[in-house]
Amino acid sequence: MVIIPKPNKPSYDSPKSFCPIVLLNTIGKLIEKVIGKRLHFLIVRNDFIHPSQLGDLKFKSTIDAGVALTHIIHSGWSRNCLTSTLAFNIAQFFPSLNHYFLTRILHKTGLDNQIVNFFGNYLSDRKTSYKWNSFLLPIVNINVGVGQGSTLSPILSALYLSPFLYILEKHLKNLKIPISIISFVDNRLLISQDKSLDISISHLFCSYNVVTNLLDKFRLIVEHLKTDIFHFSRSHGLFNPPPLNLSPLGGPILSPKSSWKYLGFSFDRKLTFHQHINFYSNKVLSSVKCMKLLGNASHGITPIQKRLLYRCCILLIALYGFQLWFYHYAPLAYLLKALEKMQRRAAI
């Protein structure tokens, strides 16, 4: 696929006339990467991104979001508080970003007018043409705006959501609702902590109402079907939290589950991470079995190559998210035993 910004209709009578367009498209991708890096440097240096935005930025990953969440949970437990979380997604996030509002945000960051005008042209009136061998389709208009595969998409989406997070934080503070926020790309997490579970649930309901109304002003929509609630508690007795009814806000009735998966981490209410380790241990064993097929297809690989493949690929799967459960004074007996059992079976 070739993206051309506002050209006159060229002629494609010969292959030579098509080659410059391919080169321009390749150079355009490189220029996008350079602009993205420079834009990222400027907005991070000026502290324009909200601190709770942990996605779409360099040197930030799902591990940071997971560590931040577990730290909040443990700090709440030290104060004898329950932790309740409400996770929600934004529907059709990248295509739904309002272009005019995005250019206004770029202008507010202090960028030169020429740069702001460049992004205004970049987001609209683009054209494309498809070619299979000698068959060429005519040029058609596409208005994808912030494309999901573009190198500029992460930083532009982070810029777009930064005012939303600041305004949301201000609204919740004015309403005296103690809510923490974790934002990762199109995933948002509202965190409430209190000694009373009913109060935490009411805080989540009120904050969800504020979020849906504010996102509507930003021309974004919450995907209610993917909204989920989960409670963290160290109580040893029967723990049966009531459901959260979001039907007055257009959402579903959320019943808490025994486990919760967020950004690839499997949580239980006591943060034991037993299900997390079991899941990735089984995934490792499945990957190791696939390595046998790789060896047969290559007429066999040497033991040194197998060891290198295991250390470079398999261990990364097994140890995903270990920063969340491997810390001082953590109960590691079950987790390490499961990993040792997995590694023995993989070695055999």
Side-chain angles (χ1 to χ4, degrees):
M1 186 174 70
V2 181
I3 306 298
I4 314 170
K6 299 183 180 178
N8 295 324
K9 187 173 181 179
S11 174
Y12 297 115
D13 297 333
S14 64
K16 292 182 179 180
S17 62
F18 188 75
C19 291
I21 300 176
V22 176
L23 292 175
L24 286 175
N25 187 42
T26 304
I27 294 174
K29 291 180 179 180
L30 295 176
I31 294 175
E32 277 188 355
K33 193 171 184 178
V34 172
I35 295 174
K37 286 186 176 181
R38 183 61 181 172
L39 185 61
H40 181 276
F41 171 77
L42 289 174
I43 64 173
V44 172
R45 184 187 65 178
N46 296 327
D47 294 330
F48 194 79
I49 299 298
H50 193 275
S52 64
Q53 177 70 15
L54 300 178
D56 295 328
L57 298 173
K58 291 185 178 179
F59 311 113
K60 300 290 184 180
S61 65
T62 56
I63 301 297
D64 298 289
V67 171
L69 175 59
T70 53
H71 173 74
I72 293 173
I73 295 170
H74 283 291
S75 64
W77 284 349
S78 65
R79 295 179 279 109
N80 296 324
C81 291
L82 299 171
T83 301
S84 302
T85 60
L86 185 66
F88 63 93
N89 285 11
I90 299 176
Q92 297 294 318
F93 177 56
F94 288 104
S96 300
L97 301 185
N98 186 275
H99 302 161
Y100 174 76
F101 186 67
L102 182 56
T103 54
R104 295 302 300 166
I105 293 175
L106 292 169
H107 180 74
K108 290 292 184 181
T109 59
L111 296 176
D112 189 83
N113 289 332
Q114 292 183 352
I115 301 177
V116 176
N117 293 334
F118 162 79
F119 279 103
N121 293 329
Y122 167 80
L123 293 170
S124 60
D125 296 335
R126 284 189 279 181
K127 302 178 183 295
T128 185
S129 178
Y130 298 90
K131 182 178 181 180
W132 290 271
N133 297 328
S134 60
F135 178 74
L136 182 68
L137 290 176
I139 293 179
V140 295
N141 295 323
I142 54 170
N143 291 314
V144 295
V146 182
Q148 191 163 355
S150 173
T151 55
L152 285 173
S153 300
I155 191 62
L156 290 178
S157 61
L159 273 171
Y160 193 91
L161 286 175
S162 185
F164 164 77
L165 293 173
Y166 279 112
I167 296 173
L168 175 62
E169 186 180 51
K170 184 178 179 179
H171 283 4
L172 295 176
K173 185 177 180 180
N174 293 336
L175 294 173
K176 297 182 179 180
I177 303 177
I179 291 290
S180 302
I181 308 169
I182 293 179
S183 177
F184 195 89
V185 194
D186 61 339
N187 296 287
R188 303 290 174 270
L189 195 63
L190 302 175
I191 307 171
S192 175
Q193 290 183 321
D194 198 275
K195 294 182 180 180
S196 172
L197 183 60
D198 294 332
I199 294 178
S200 293
I201 293 176
S202 64
H203 286 165
L204 291 178
F205 179 86
C206 296
S207 60
Y208 191 77
N209 185 25
V210 175
V211 166
T212 53
N213 293 331
L214 187 59
L215 282 176
D216 184 65
K217 297 180 180 179
F218 277 74
R219 302 297 188 268
L220 298 173
I221 302 174
V222 176
E223 195 168 0
H224 295 293
L225 294 179
K226 292 186 178 180
T227 304
D228 202 0
I229 189 172
F230 195 78
H231 304 282
F232 295 91
S233 172
R234 292 188 298 181
S235 62
H236 298 287
L238 181 63
F239 186 72
N240 188 21
L244 174 60
N245 186 7
L246 296 177
S247 56
L249 307 178
I253 299 177
L254 303 178
S255 299
K257 303 176 183 178
S258 59
S259 62
W260 174 52
K261 197 162 187 178
Y262 177 69
L263 299 179
F265 309 115
S266 296
F267 293 100
D268 54 38
R269 68 180 182 90
K270 292 186 177 182
L271 288 184
T272 61
F273 291 99
H274 291 179
Q275 295 183 5
H276 178 85
I277 290 297
N278 293 336
F279 173 80
Y280 283 100
S281 296
N282 293 330
K283 189 174 182 179
V284 161
L285 295 177
S286 300
S287 302
V288 170
K289 293 179 181 179
C290 295
M291 289 170 56
K292 296 180 180 180
L293 301 177
L294 177 64
N296 294 335
S298 304
H299 303 288
I301 55 179
T302 63
I304 295 179
Q305 292 173 333
K306 292 180 180 179
R307 177 181 179 273
L308 181 63
L309 187 63
Y310 177 80
R311 292 178 62 87
C312 295
C313 301
I314 304 302
L315 283 183
L316 296 180
I317 301 175
L319 298 179
Y320 175 72
F322 78 92
Q323 296 91 338
L324 278 65
W325 53 264
F326 189 83
Y327 55 90
H328 196 45
Y329 293 127
L332 303 175
Y334 177 88
L335 305 177
L336 295 180
K337 184 177 180 180
L339 289 176
E340 290 175 358
K341 182 179 179 181
M342 175 273 301
Q343 183 157 272
R344 179 178 178 275
R345 293 181 59 187
I348 293 176

